[in-house]
Amino acid sequence: EQHGESWLHKPIVRILKVLNTRGYNGEKKGLNFGVHSIEMWDTKTKEIVAGDIGYTVGACYTSMTGFRAEGTVSAGTVQLVATCSLLRDLGFQFWDLGMVMVYKTEL
């Protein structure tokens, strides 16, 4: 089910699923690239509660879209903080958060 306007229409979802399944990543002229999903799971319910879909080029991670499960409070914010820590630990130098949204500016 889609809420409001979203660029994640069925054809794009299909492409992202194929890229994720095939492990779309590699290197060209010394520059690494890839498409990734970052997920945060509830260990008690075994359900996904928040996540991000993005891509990497070199030391830059670009968020294409983030999500949180309906009925969760602050799960998206926790996921953003955890993603920041992960990217830092992996040596990324830049994170493009995409559109400016209030909850992002409040971090």
Side-chain angles (χ1 to χ4, degrees), residues 27-75:
E27 182 181 339
K28 187 166 186 164
K29 296 184 180 180
L31 192 62
N32 292 315
F33 58 89
V35 174
H36 311 278
S37 66
I38 299 171
E39 302 162 353
M40 189 171 74
W41 291 78
D42 183 321
T43 57
K44 292 180 182 174
T45 65
K46 307 288 189 226
E47 294 181 357
I48 191 166
V49 293
D52 190 83
I53 299 170
Y55 62 91
T56 55
V57 177
C60 176
Y61 177 79
T62 300
S63 295
M64 291 190 283
T65 192
F67 59 92
R68 67 173 179 83
E70 188 175 339
T72 61
V73 177
S74 301

Side-chain angles (χ1 to χ4, degrees), residues 3 5-9 12-13 16 35-39 50-55 61-68 76 79-80 83 95-99 101 103-104:
H3 63 84
E5 290 187 34
S6 173
W7 67 273
L8 277 175
H9 296 280
I12 294 173
V13 171
L16 290 171
V35 174
H36 311 278
S37 66
I38 299 171
E39 302 162 353
D52 190 83
I53 299 170
Y55 62 91
Y61 177 79
T62 300
S63 295
M64 291 190 283
T65 192
F67 59 92
R68 67 173 179 83
Q79 180 267 320
L80 278 175
T83 298
W95 181 12
D96 177 357
L97 288 166
M99 293 176 54
M101 300 181 89
Y103 74 95
K104 294 178 188 177

